[in-house]
Tab-separated table of all heavy atoms in Angstrom:
chain	number	residue	atom	x	y	z
A	1	ILE	N	-13.610	-4.868	-12.345
A	1	ILE	CA	-14.045	-3.486	-12.116
A	1	ILE	C	-12.889	-2.491	-12.278
A	1	ILE	O	-13.083	-1.281	-12.105
A	1	ILE	CB	-14.644	-3.321	-10.703
A	1	ILE	CG1	-13.598	-3.649	-9.618
A	1	ILE	CG2	-15.888	-4.188	-10.529
A	1	ILE	CD1	-14.021	-3.286	-8.212
A	2	GLY	N	-11.702	-2.987	-12.554
A	2	GLY	CA	-10.525	-2.117	-12.581
A	2	GLY	C	-9.880	-2.009	-13.941
A	2	GLY	O	-10.415	-2.445	-14.966
A	3	ARG	N	-8.724	-1.406	-13.932
A	3	ARG	CA	-7.913	-1.263	-15.147
A	3	ARG	C	-6.455	-1.246	-14.717
A	3	ARG	O	-6.153	-1.016	-13.536
A	3	ARG	CB	-8.249	0.014	-15.914
A	3	ARG	CG	-7.803	1.325	-15.263
A	3	ARG	CD	-8.866	1.902	-14.379
A	3	ARG	NE	-8.482	3.200	-13.805
A	3	ARG	CZ	-9.080	3.712	-12.745
A	3	ARG	NH1	-10.045	3.053	-12.124
A	3	ARG	NH2	-8.711	4.892	-12.293
A	4	GLU	N	-5.561	-1.469	-15.660
A	4	GLU	CA	-4.140	-1.447	-15.360
A	4	GLU	C	-3.574	-0.050	-15.585
A	4	GLU	O	-3.991	0.666	-16.503
A	4	GLU	CB	-3.393	-2.470	-16.217
A	4	GLU	CG	-3.696	-3.912	-15.843
A	4	GLU	CD	-2.753	-4.895	-16.507
A	4	GLU	OE1	-1.780	-4.435	-17.154
A	4	GLU	OE2	-2.965	-6.119	-16.360
A	5	MET	N	-2.635	0.329	-14.714
A	5	MET	CA	-1.934	1.598	-14.847
A	5	MET	C	-0.449	1.369	-14.591
A	5	MET	O	-0.078	0.515	-13.765
A	5	MET	CB	-2.487	2.643	-13.868
A	5	MET	CG	-3.926	3.050	-14.114
A	5	MET	SD	-4.501	4.359	-12.974
A	5	MET	CE	-3.491	5.732	-13.506
A	6	GLU	N	0.378	2.134	-15.276
A	6	GLU	CA	1.831	2.003	-15.130
A	6	GLU	C	2.430	3.309	-14.625
A	6	GLU	O	1.965	4.402	-14.984
A	6	GLU	CB	2.470	1.595	-16.465
A	6	GLU	CG	2.031	0.229	-16.952
A	6	GLU	CD	2.731	-0.164	-18.250
A	6	GLU	OE1	3.477	0.682	-18.806
A	6	GLU	OE2	2.530	-1.313	-18.704
A	7	PHE	N	3.451	3.179	-13.777
A	7	PHE	CA	4.162	4.339	-13.232
A	7	PHE	C	5.660	4.066	-13.354
A	7	PHE	O	6.133	2.961	-13.030
A	7	PHE	CB	3.788	4.578	-11.775
A	7	PHE	CG	2.317	4.828	-11.556
A	7	PHE	CD1	1.462	3.778	-11.226
A	7	PHE	CD2	1.788	6.098	-11.711
A	7	PHE	CE1	0.114	3.999	-11.032
A	7	PHE	CE2	0.436	6.327	-11.514
A	7	PHE	CZ	-0.401	5.275	-11.183
A	8	GLY	N	6.394	5.078	-13.792
A	8	GLY	CA	7.829	4.927	-13.959
A	8	GLY	C	8.568	5.047	-12.646
A	8	GLY	O	8.063	5.607	-11.658
A	9	ALA	N	9.783	4.526	-12.602
A	9	ALA	CA	10.619	4.593	-11.403
A	9	ALA	C	10.764	6.046	-10.948
A	9	ALA	O	11.038	6.939	-11.747
A	9	ALA	CB	11.987	3.994	-11.695
A	10	GLY	N	10.543	6.280	-9.659
A	10	GLY	CA	10.641	7.620	-9.089
A	10	GLY	C	9.352	8.420	-9.177
A	10	GLY	O	9.259	9.509	-8.591
A	11	GLU	N	8.342	7.894	-9.851
A	11	GLU	CA	7.087	8.626	-10.024
A	11	GLU	C	6.194	8.452	-8.795
A	11	GLU	O	6.013	7.349	-8.279
A	11	GLU	CB	6.355	8.139	-11.268
A	11	GLU	CG	5.084	8.925	-11.585
A	11	GLU	CD	4.439	8.469	-12.888
A	11	GLU	OE1	5.026	7.615	-13.588
A	11	GLU	OE2	3.334	8.958	-13.194
A	12	THR	N	5.620	9.570	-8.308
A	12	THR	CA	4.682	9.527	-7.188
A	12	THR	C	3.298	9.180	-7.707
A	12	THR	O	2.775	9.857	-8.593
A	12	THR	CB	4.637	10.884	-6.460
A	12	THR	OG1	5.932	11.154	-5.895
A	12	THR	CG2	3.595	10.875	-5.348
A	13	PHE	N	2.706	8.124	-7.168
A	13	PHE	CA	1.371	7.737	-7.622
A	13	PHE	C	0.301	7.978	-6.554
A	13	PHE	O	-0.886	7.894	-6.832
A	13	PHE	CB	1.342	6.285	-8.108
A	13	PHE	CG	1.793	5.262	-7.102
A	13	PHE	CD1	0.905	4.693	-6.215
A	13	PHE	CD2	3.124	4.848	-7.068
A	13	PHE	CE1	1.306	3.749	-5.302
A	13	PHE	CE2	3.550	3.897	-6.149
A	13	PHE	CZ	2.639	3.344	-5.256
A	14	VAL	N	0.704	8.303	-5.329
A	14	VAL	CA	-0.200	8.792	-4.284
A	14	VAL	C	0.481	9.985	-3.629
A	14	VAL	O	1.541	9.839	-3.023
A	14	VAL	CB	-0.511	7.716	-3.221
A	14	VAL	CG1	-1.388	8.316	-2.118
A	14	VAL	CG2	-1.205	6.506	-3.839
A	15	ALA	N	-0.107	11.159	-3.753
A	15	ALA	CA	0.482	12.370	-3.169
A	15	ALA	C	0.043	12.521	-1.714
A	15	ALA	O	-1.060	12.106	-1.337
A	15	ALA	CB	0.067	13.595	-3.976
A	16	LEU	N	0.906	13.094	-0.890
A	16	LEU	CA	0.561	13.376	0.497
A	16	LEU	C	-0.645	14.313	0.538
A	16	LEU	O	-0.648	15.362	-0.090
A	16	LEU	CB	1.754	14.017	1.211
A	16	LEU	CG	1.529	14.446	2.667
A	16	LEU	CD1	1.238	13.245	3.538
A	16	LEU	CD2	2.742	15.209	3.186
A	17	GLY	N	-1.675	13.911	1.271
A	17	GLY	CA	-2.872	14.743	1.391
A	17	GLY	C	-3.860	14.610	0.257
A	17	GLY	O	-4.880	15.300	0.240
A	18	ALA	N	-3.600	13.703	-0.696
A	18	ALA	CA	-4.531	13.487	-1.807
A	18	ALA	C	-5.646	12.538	-1.373
A	18	ALA	O	-5.433	11.648	-0.547
A	18	ALA	CB	-3.797	12.914	-3.011
A	19	PRO	N	-6.855	12.691	-1.924
A	19	PRO	CA	-7.945	11.768	-1.576
A	19	PRO	C	-7.576	10.328	-1.920
A	19	PRO	O	-7.020	10.052	-2.985
A	19	PRO	CB	-9.114	12.259	-2.442
A	19	PRO	CG	-8.796	13.683	-2.751
A	19	PRO	CD	-7.302	13.755	-2.849
A	20	MET	N	-7.898	9.428	-1.024
A	20	MET	CA	-7.629	8.012	-1.267
A	20	MET	C	-8.831	7.411	-1.984
A	20	MET	O	-9.682	6.756	-1.379
A	20	MET	CB	-7.326	7.294	0.049
A	20	MET	CG	-6.085	7.822	0.736
A	20	MET	SD	-5.543	6.790	2.114
A	20	MET	CE	-5.062	5.304	1.258
A	21	ASP	N	-8.895	7.651	-3.275
A	21	ASP	CA	-10.067	7.279	-4.056
A	21	ASP	C	-9.807	6.103	-4.993
A	21	ASP	O	-10.645	5.798	-5.842
A	21	ASP	CB	-10.573	8.482	-4.856
A	21	ASP	CG	-9.485	9.123	-5.710
A	21	ASP	OD1	-8.366	8.573	-5.764
A	21	ASP	OD2	-9.747	10.182	-6.296
A	22	ARG	N	-8.641	5.428	-4.824
A	22	ARG	CA	-8.327	4.284	-5.684
A	22	ARG	C	-7.692	3.169	-4.862
A	22	ARG	O	-6.944	3.428	-3.923
A	22	ARG	CB	-7.358	4.683	-6.800
A	22	ARG	CG	-7.833	5.791	-7.716
A	22	ARG	CD	-6.808	6.092	-8.800
A	22	ARG	NE	-5.520	6.522	-8.251
A	22	ARG	CZ	-4.468	6.869	-8.999
A	22	ARG	NH1	-4.558	6.824	-10.322
A	22	ARG	NH2	-3.339	7.257	-8.434
A	23	PHE	N	-8.015	1.938	-5.240
A	23	PHE	CA	-7.351	0.771	-4.663
A	23	PHE	C	-6.277	0.338	-5.651
A	23	PHE	O	-6.557	0.115	-6.837
A	23	PHE	CB	-8.348	-0.361	-4.437
A	23	PHE	CG	-7.740	-1.597	-3.827
A	23	PHE	CD1	-7.529	-1.675	-2.462
A	23	PHE	CD2	-7.382	-2.680	-4.622
A	23	PHE	CE1	-6.961	-2.808	-1.892
A	23	PHE	CE2	-6.820	-3.818	-4.066
A	23	PHE	CZ	-6.610	-3.879	-2.689
A	24	LEU	N	-5.035	0.233	-5.170
A	24	LEU	CA	-3.901	-0.060	-6.042
A	24	LEU	C	-3.259	-1.381	-5.644
A	24	LEU	O	-2.669	-1.502	-4.562
A	24	LEU	CB	-2.872	1.067	-5.967
A	24	LEU	CG	-3.359	2.425	-6.484
A	24	LEU	CD1	-3.363	3.451	-5.360
A	24	LEU	CD2	-2.493	2.900	-7.629
A	25	TYR	N	-3.374	-2.355	-6.537
A	25	TYR	CA	-2.810	-3.686	-6.318
A	25	TYR	C	-1.616	-3.841	-7.251
A	25	TYR	O	-1.734	-3.707	-8.475
A	25	TYR	CB	-3.866	-4.746	-6.606
A	25	TYR	CG	-3.382	-6.173	-6.466
A	25	TYR	CD1	-3.382	-6.797	-5.223
A	25	TYR	CD2	-2.939	-6.888	-7.569
A	25	TYR	CE1	-2.933	-8.113	-5.088
A	25	TYR	CE2	-2.498	-8.199	-7.449
A	25	TYR	CZ	-2.498	-8.803	-6.201
A	25	TYR	OH	-2.058	-10.102	-6.059
A	26	LEU	N	-0.450	-4.114	-6.685
A	26	LEU	CA	0.787	-4.148	-7.460
A	26	LEU	C	0.948	-5.493	-8.197
A	26	LEU	O	0.987	-6.553	-7.569
A	26	LEU	CB	1.983	-3.911	-6.537
A	26	LEU	CG	3.357	-3.762	-7.196
A	26	LEU	CD1	3.359	-2.638	-8.230
A	26	LEU	CD2	4.426	-3.499	-6.132
A	27	LEU	N	1.018	-5.410	-9.515
A	27	LEU	CA	1.219	-6.591	-10.354
A	27	LEU	C	2.696	-6.849	-10.639
A	27	LEU	O	3.169	-7.979	-10.576
A	27	LEU	CB	0.457	-6.434	-11.677
A	27	LEU	CG	-1.063	-6.322	-11.577
A	27	LEU	CD1	-1.652	-5.920	-12.926
A	27	LEU	CD2	-1.677	-7.633	-11.093
A	28	GLU	N	3.418	-5.770	-10.966
A	28	GLU	CA	4.851	-5.878	-11.260
A	28	GLU	C	5.561	-4.648	-10.712
A	28	GLU	O	5.002	-3.554	-10.693
A	28	GLU	CB	5.103	-5.963	-12.773
A	28	GLU	CG	4.592	-7.217	-13.444
A	28	GLU	CD	4.876	-7.209	-14.941
A	28	GLU	OE1	5.491	-6.233	-15.424
A	28	GLU	OE2	4.481	-8.167	-15.629
A	29	GLY	N	6.810	-4.836	-10.276
A	29	GLY	CA	7.622	-3.715	-9.840
A	29	GLY	C	7.798	-3.645	-8.341
A	29	GLY	O	7.561	-4.603	-7.602
């Protein structure tokens, strides 16, 4: 039901006060 997403070092992927509308499972990093 999901897809892969990548984020670079130092990148914010959940902002303070943002809706928690995604489940994020860490594969690498």
